Amino acid sequence: MTSCARHRHAYFSDAGCVDAVTRHLLHLAAARDFEVSAYCFMPDHVHVVLEATSAESELHRLMNSWKQQTGYAHARATGSKLWQNGYYDHVLRKDEDRLGIIAYLLSNPLRAGLVSDLRRYPFWGSGVWERDQLLEAVQHLIPERTRR
């Protein structure tokens, strides 16, 4: 899933904003029967790999709640809207490599030149694994040219 900040503003360069939005994501995902396999905030958008944990898991309900709650809190604090309308989702097929998708997602800050070492980028993680565990699981899948 990918969702963009309103007018592609770089709201997600702010650690406080990313922390609040991440906490809401992790809490709501668990409440709505999803695991957050990985997330990566870029300055103006966020990528999230979610896994449904029950037949009742409904992505649109999760996304509507998350964007509404975080958008409301952001508007109260700053007077500006946080999110663009909508989001992009892609359902992984059984033959798609989930760790490969996660590695590609986590490579975004490297490809964008935001950092040369992913460990130095603070705005990624998982609701399933610790950062070190996730990085170890996907490190071999991150293209060498983006690693240092």
Side-chain angles (χ1 to χ4, degrees), residues 57-84:
S57 302
E58 295 181 43
L59 181 61
H60 72 278
R61 289 187 67 213
L62 169 61
M63 292 303 297
N64 288 344
S65 296
W66 181 50
K67 290 178 72 173
Q68 182 180 40
Q69 289 179 23
T70 55
Y72 179 76
H74 182 82
R76 284 193 55 137
T78 67
S80 60
K81 292 186 176 188
L82 178 60
W83 298 108
Q84 278 186 9

Side-chain angles (χ1 to χ4, degrees), residues 4-117:
C4 296
R6 178 86 167 182
H7 302 300
R8 299 299 296 251
H9 187 80
Y11 291 125
F12 305 127
S13 296
D14 176 80
C17 179
V18 172
D19 183 56
V21 173
T22 301
R23 277 186 283 112
H24 273 85
L25 172 64
L26 296 174
H27 172 76
L28 287 170
R32 301 262 190 223
D33 298 319
F34 283 93
E35 286 186 341
V36 179
S37 299
Y39 60 85
C40 184
F41 286 85
M42 297 298 286
D44 63 355
H45 64 281
V46 60
H47 300 286
V48 183
V49 176
L50 297 162
E51 185 169 341
T53 59
S54 81
E56 287 77 40
S57 302
E58 295 181 43
L59 181 61
H60 72 278
R61 289 187 67 213
L62 169 61
M63 292 303 297
N64 288 344
S65 296
W66 181 50
K67 290 178 72 173
Q68 182 180 40
Q69 289 179 23
T70 55
Y72 179 76
H74 182 82
R76 284 193 55 137
T78 67
S80 60
K81 292 186 176 188
L82 178 60
W83 298 108
Q84 278 186 9
N85 290 334
Y87 57 91
Y88 171 78
D89 64 4
H90 171 78
V91 178
L92 297 180
R93 297 180 308 266
K94 288 189 184 280
D95 65 333
E96 289 183 281
D97 177 19
R98 184 169 63 115
L99 284 179
I101 300 294
I102 292 171
Y104 182 82
L105 175 148
L106 295 180
S107 296
N108 278 311
L110 301 168
R111 282 191 304 275
L114 298 175
V115 291
S116 59
D117 182 343

